[in-house]
Amino acid sequence: NAGVTQTPKFQVLKTGQSMTLQCAQDMNHEYMSWYRQDPGMGLRLIHYSVGAGITDQGEVPNGYNVSRSTTEDFPLRLLSAAPSQTSVYFCASSDRGLNTEAFFGQGTRLTVV
Amino acid sequence: SQQGEEDPQALSIQEGENATMNCSYKTSINNLQWYRQNSGRGLVHLILIRSNEREKHSGRLRVTLDTSKKSSSLLITASRAADTASYFCATDPYMDSNYQLIWGAGTKLIIKP
C-alpha cells in the first residue's frame, strides 16, 4: 500500500516558470489537501478538496491552482513561480476530513531562484 | 493564522527520560491531533483526542486535553533515540466554516544517547 505519493522530491525553478506538483493516494480518501511548511512555522493550508470535482481555498492560496478530476489525484500548479514560494510542500489525505488522521506524502522541496 | 502554539520550541533530554510537550490554542475545538515529523520527512499521525475526552494513551504516548485551559500535552515516556523529531499539534476549530486544521509551529525534540 503506497499511501500518499508526491513527485518530484526536489525541484529548482527560475522566477516566472510554472510547474505542477503531483500528488496521488491509493486509499480512496475523499479529503485531500496541500500545505506549505516554512522554517519556524506550522503547516499552512494552500488548497483542499472534499471530493472529486470540488476544491476550495485555504489560508495561502495566491499563486497556486488545484484541480481534482479523480479521487486519487490532486495536483498543485504554480502559475508563475516567485522566490516567496520557496518552501517544502506536503500533500495529505484523510478518510473523513478533519475528524480522522491525515496521511502525508514525503514532501517536495521547492527552490525558486 | 496559527491557533496552536507548542511549548517548548525545543527540548533536549537524555535517553530514557520522559519528554513533555504542550500545545495551547485559542478557540473551541472539535478535536486535537498530534503528529511527528522526522527530519526531511512527511508528518506521521500519533493521536487524535476529541473535545469530550480528557486523556488518551498509545504505547509510550499519553495525551491530555484540558478544554477549560485550551491546552493539551503530549508525554513520551522512556524516550529513545528514535523519538528525535519535531512534534506538532493541530486543531479542528469548532464551527469553523473554513474546514481546515490549524497547526502549531512545533516542538523540536532531541534525545541524547
Side-chain angles (χ1 to χ4, degrees):
Chain A
N1 196 343
V4 180
T5 302
Q6 286 183 238
T7 56
K9 287 188 169 57
F10 301 94
Q11 183 70 49
V12 178
L13 288 179
K14 294 182 179 179
T15 297
Q17 287 185 315
S18 63
M19 79 159 294
T20 300
L21 308 185
Q22 301 292 344
C23 175
Q25 51 93 8
D26 61 1
M27 296 171 282
N28 202 33
H29 286 170
E30 292 295 326
Y31 185 85
M32 296 185 74
S33 52
W34 275 102
Y35 292 93
R36 60 178 289 172
Q37 184 178 38
D38 299 296
M41 299 183 72
L43 298 179
R44 291 187 292 169
L45 184 66
I46 303 171
H47 285 284
Y48 66 95
S49 169
V50 299
I54 306 169
T55 63
D56 207 344
Q57 297 181 350
E59 181 185 355
V60 289
N62 292 341
Y64 308 94
N65 271 354
V66 291
S67 60
R68 185 95 180 270
S69 57
T70 66
T71 298
E72 295 77 20
D73 300 300
F74 190 44
L76 176 72
R77 182 166 178 82
L78 278 70
L79 308 172
S80 177
S84 61
Q85 293 179 304
T86 293
S87 188
V88 181
Y89 292 84
F90 289 99
C91 178
S93 74
S94 64
D95 185 24
R96 287 179 282 121
L98 307 183
N99 209 27
T100 56
E101 67 174 290
F103 293 81
F104 282 81
Q106 292 299 298
T108 296
R109 186 173 294 274
L110 176 68
T111 302
V112 182
V113 298
Chain B
S1 60
Q2 290 183 241
Q3 147 130 285
E5 292 187 7
E6 286 92 342
D7 168 54
Q9 290 186 332
L11 180 61
S12 181
I13 61 173
Q14 293 292 138
E15 192 168 19
E17 294 180 338
N18 296 341
T20 299
M21 288 157 273
N22 303 296
C23 170
S24 59
Y25 55 92
K26 297 183 177 69
T27 65
S28 297
I29 59 172
N30 292 314
N31 64 65
L32 183 146
Q33 302 182 48
W34 285 92
Y35 287 80
R36 182 188 74 231
Q37 183 181 35
N38 292 94
S39 181
R41 308 295 295 272
L43 283 76
V44 174
H45 181 265
L46 297 176
I47 287 182
L48 182 152
I49 186 166
R50 305 191 190 285
S51 60
N52 61 352
E53 298 175 313
R54 291 297 166 258
E55 187 171 312
K56 287 191 84 168
H57 297 257
S58 177
R60 293 182 296 112
L61 307 181
R62 172 179 170 251
V63 167
T64 60
L65 179 65
D66 187 335
T67 53
S68 66
K69 295 181 179 178
K70 294 187 171 57
S71 68
S72 173
S73 67
L74 169 66
L75 168 67
I76 303 174
T77 60
S79 63
R80 305 168 181 169
D83 295 327
T84 293
S86 291
Y87 292 81
F88 296 87
C89 68
T91 55
D92 172 17
Y94 181 67
M95 292 187 68
D96 188 311
S97 62
N98 289 334
Y99 202 66
Q100 58 183 283
L101 291 175
I102 307 299
W103 296 80
T107 291
K108 187 168 186 176
L109 175 65
I110 296 173
I111 307 299
K112 296 179 287 186

